[in-house]
Amino acid sequence: MGSLLCKAFPASSPAGGWSALPPELADLVLRRLSSLADRVRFASVCRHWFRAATRYSAPTLPRPLPWLNFHDGSFRSLPDGEPHSFRFRRHAVCAGSFGRWFLFEEAAGCEPSRRHFLRHPLLGTTKRLPGRCNEPVDLLNPDYGSSHAGSRSSSTKFFISKVIVCSGDLIAAKVNYRRRRPCTVVCCRPGVSPSWSTGMCNGHWYHDMAFYKGKLYTVTEEGHLFVHEVIDNGGDGDPRVSLIEQAIQAPPPSKYALLDGPYATLDRVRTCYLVISCDNKLLMVRLMLRWTVPFDQHGPGDRRTKRMAMKVFEADLETSRWVELKSLGDQVLFVSSCSSKAVRASSHAHCRYLRGNTIYFIDDGLMSSCQLCPISMPRTCGVYDMSSDTVSSISLGGERINDQLKASWFFP
């Protein structure tokens, strides 16, 4: 950044020249700053630079790169690895970061219910969420609980695994009711709804959820895609999920494939993520554990190896099928169970750190899977290159972070 400014304002320029930085040049400088912290520092120099950053460049400025939110509450930004921290309310437990928001839970005094709220740490905005959830409708067992959704009881015994801010007055969540039942999708109006709406349970465990073109979509471990219709009466009553249908069947499982000599590979799907592409397509990222198995099982020692692989599919909702993508082109995907996003590498062309056709992934669930089968333990986080089918470590400021970390993506 310094070289650009020095060319515009030589050392002999008067001090007032810095505050007179042309907005066109300020925009050029800002587009070379991928870190939110650097952009904030730029805007805080003087009011002229602040105006250039918030009014002139803001509408078309590419989003800054995400931060890694570690389970100990610390943050590291990409690509410089700069540490960050936030001050959170006392006696409130942070249950995870979801996009730009944090979900907090705290006890409600002597009451059995709990308080939930979303907090935007950069804007200081808070959205109050219900601490109770209505009992779900079990589509596989209609006699379970009450027969009328309007009279179903509510409880505090539910676990929120993902939150989506659909709009200013509509929040959706993927929850497990009483933890032992399969997932259900519920919604509410922040600060208004007394409890989360009654969801529908179809016996499936959803691994991810996305809000796409006004509808909620969920995906199972195998890759089955479900669509959830949401009725929003615009303030005249609480929103609710009125329908759940299967939109796409899972892609067929991979079969044995011959490799060099008497070896074969076998893929086992570990989890699936949903992410909206840069050109507004619904994508599914399928993370798999891939075993290389010798046909001759009587050889010396255990010659099995295990590594991680990924496949990407695009949802063709008109034909109800997944279309496998061999390349992401200019896109970079950041995926985790809490939040995922796609960015264009060309929008950060100055950043050699970012390359197209790659997937930055975080999956805590791999830890338990590795413990069950510790052969050639794969990474729980890293960068997957679709061009070379290889996985490398995530580098922050030239430092490679622990491949077995527990974290999630935070998108400032």
Side-chain angles (χ1 to χ4, degrees):
M1 184 177 78
S3 60
L4 288 175
L5 296 179
C6 289
K7 291 179 181 178
F9 298 100
S12 59
S13 297
W18 291 98
S19 63
L21 179 71
E24 296 83 2
L25 183 56
D27 182 73
L28 178 61
V29 172
L30 283 166
R31 292 183 185 280
R32 296 179 65 87
L33 302 178
S34 298
S35 170
L36 175 66
D38 289 338
R39 295 181 181 181
V40 171
R41 294 186 184 103
F42 180 94
S44 63
V45 170
C46 64
R47 58 189 178 90
H48 299 284
W49 288 23
F50 175 82
R51 187 179 299 111
T54 57
R55 297 182 183 179
Y56 184 86
S57 299
T60 59
L61 195 65
R63 289 283 300 275
L65 295 182
W67 296 359
L68 277 167
N69 174 21
F70 297 94
H71 284 197
D72 62 0
S74 62
F75 297 83
R76 299 281 294 278
S77 59
L78 295 181
D80 51 24
E82 182 178 359
H84 303 277
S85 63
F86 294 110
R87 289 186 177 181
F88 297 134
R89 288 177 53 172
R90 296 181 60 185
H91 309 301
V93 178
C94 182
S97 60
F98 303 89
R100 299 180 179 183
W101 298 86
F102 291 102
L103 174 66
F104 288 92
E105 176 183 315
E106 62 182 357
C110 299
E111 300 177 9
S113 62
R114 299 169 295 169
R115 293 193 183 102
H116 290 89
F117 60 92
L118 290 174
R119 178 76 173 173
H120 194 307
L122 300 178
L123 299 180
T125 306
T126 300
K127 294 181 180 291
R128 299 286 179 181
L129 304 178
R132 306 183 68 88
C133 185
N134 289 333
E135 184 180 328
V137 176
D138 193 335
L139 300 179
L140 301 181
N141 184 14
D143 296 330
Y144 173 79
S146 173
S147 59
H148 301 286
S151 62
R152 307 186 79 87
S153 62
S154 63
S155 172
T156 62
K157 298 179 180 179
F158 68 99
F159 173 73
I160 300 176
S161 54
K162 185 163 187 175
V163 177
I164 294 179
V165 179
C166 303
S167 64
D169 61 349
L170 179 61
I171 307 291
K174 178 167 67 75
V175 305
N176 297 104
Y177 192 83
R178 297 178 182 173
R179 292 185 179 243
R180 295 185 178 181
R181 299 189 59 79
C183 301
T184 183
V185 175
V186 295
C187 50
C188 74
R189 296 190 193 282
V192 176
S193 301
S195 62
W196 291 95
S197 65
T198 301
M200 297 183 182
C201 176
N202 62 358
H204 288 278
W205 293 90
Y206 304 133
H207 274 215
D208 203 2
M209 177 176 69
F211 186 65
Y212 178 66
K213 293 186 176 180
K215 298 180 180 180
L216 291 166
Y217 288 86
T218 55
V219 66
T220 65
E221 175 184 351
E222 301 82 10
H224 298 298
L225 184 71
F226 291 87
V227 57
H228 306 254
E229 294 281 356
V230 178
I231 294 181
D232 185 3
N233 297 318
D236 300 330
D238 288 333
R240 60 187 177 90
V241 178
S242 62
L243 181 67
I244 174 175
E245 292 182 342
Q246 184 161 351
I248 302 179
Q249 292 278 350
S254 301
K255 298 181 179 180
Y256 277 103
L258 293 176
L259 291 178
D260 297 334
Y263 287 88
T265 59
L266 177 64
D267 292 338
R268 174 181 173 271
V269 177
R270 169 57 203 168
T271 189
C272 295
Y273 306 98
L274 293 178
V275 57
I276 311 302
S277 70
C278 295
D279 52 356
N280 200 32
K281 303 292 185 180
L282 181 61
L283 304 181
M284 176 181 68
V285 178
R286 206 178 192 188
L287 187 151
M288 301 171 294
L289 299 181
R290 176 169 292 174
W291 279 271
T292 301
V293 185
F295 284 118
D296 180 13
Q297 297 292 341
H298 304 289
D302 192 343
R303 294 181 291 157
R304 293 176 298 166
T305 60
K306 184 174 70 170
R307 62 187 181 91
M308 205 210 67
M310 284 186 162
K311 289 186 178 181
V312 181
F313 300 84
E314 180 181 311
D316 187 337
L317 298 175
E318 293 187 359
T319 61
S320 299
R321 65 190 184 97
W322 291 112
V323 179
E324 184 175 356
L325 301 181
K326 298 299 183 181
S327 173
L328 293 171
D330 184 43
Q331 293 185 99
V332 182
L333 304 185
F334 294 89
V335 298
S336 68
S337 58
C338 291
S339 53
S340 303
K341 189 173 289 293
V343 301
R344 293 196 181 278
S346 58
S347 64
H348 300 276
H350 63 282
C351 181
R352 299 180 182 178
Y353 176 84
L354 211 62
R355 303 188 312 275
N357 204 30
T358 54
I359 304 172
Y360 287 69
F361 68 93
I362 301 174
D363 182 44
D364 288 350
L366 274 174
M367 192 72 73
S368 58
S369 176
C370 294
Q371 293 172 354
L372 295 176
C373 186
I375 303 168
S376 302
M377 181 183 293
R379 297 179 173 94
T380 60
C381 71
V383 185
Y384 182 77
D385 191 327
M386 292 189 64
S387 301
S388 59
D389 191 29
T390 57
V391 180
S392 58
S393 301
I394 297 177
S395 176
L396 298 177
E399 173 190 352
R400 293 186 181 274
I401 62 173
N402 183 1
D403 295 334
Q404 305 301 323
L405 65 83
K406 292 186 177 182
S408 59
W409 295 116
F410 172 67
F411 298 95

